[in-house]
Amino acid sequence: MAGKTMDLSELEEALEEGGGGQATGTRELGAIYDIPVQVQAVLGKATMQVSQLLKLGRGAVVELDRKVGEAIDIYVNNRLVARGEVVIVDERLGVTMTEIIKSDRQQ
């Protein structure tokens, strides 16, 4: 699904202009803040036959379609919303969003 991109500074400006601070806009959205969403950070993808999959064992390497340093895709509820980079936070993996994907789809 193609979309327009927006960097983080543009997103912050849009939120400020649209009342995304402590103004009425935030209070009106307060009811949805506790709804859980599924967030996925996809490092890359690979396609293989079932026979190849069954041959994989401990230590096997599966080559992905991304290069080192290339942005990863960030999905929320199976919808691409951003791209980012993998970071380490307190010995755990995390993701820094570097690009917000603005969807053309309106509801």
Side-chain angles (χ1 to χ4, degrees):
M1 175 185 303
K4 296 178 184 176
T5 60
M6 172 185 280
D7 69 25
L8 293 178
S9 62
E10 291 173 320
L11 176 63
E12 290 170 354
E13 289 175 18
L15 288 174
E16 288 172 8
E17 291 172 5
Q22 293 298 321
T24 342
T26 302
R27 284 187 296 239
E28 291 170 1
L29 294 175
I32 65 169
Y33 285 167
D34 291 333
I35 297 172
V37 295
Q38 181 183 28
V39 178
Q40 297 174 318
V42 179
L43 298 174
K45 298 176 184 175
T47 302
M48 64 178 57
Q49 297 174 346
V50 173
S51 60
Q52 293 172 306
L53 180 65
L54 293 173
K55 291 179 185 175
L56 296 177
R58 177 176 238 138
V61 176
V62 175
E63 188 174 334
L64 302 176
D65 63 350
R66 301 280 172 94
K67 293 182 171 64
V68 173
E70 194 173 338
I72 63 169
D73 293 333
I74 301 168
Y75 290 84
V76 175
N77 289 347
N78 297 316
R79 180 176 300 194
L80 179 65
V81 296
R83 292 200 172 85
E85 299 172 351
V86 176
V87 295
I88 298 176
V89 181
D90 296 329
E91 297 185 21
R92 303 189 94 176
L93 291 177
V95 177
T96 297
M97 288 190 279
T98 57
E99 178 183 11
I100 304 296
I101 307 299
K102 185 177 176 184
S103 175
D104 290 333
R105 184 174 138 186
Q106 296 180 359
Q107 294 191 15

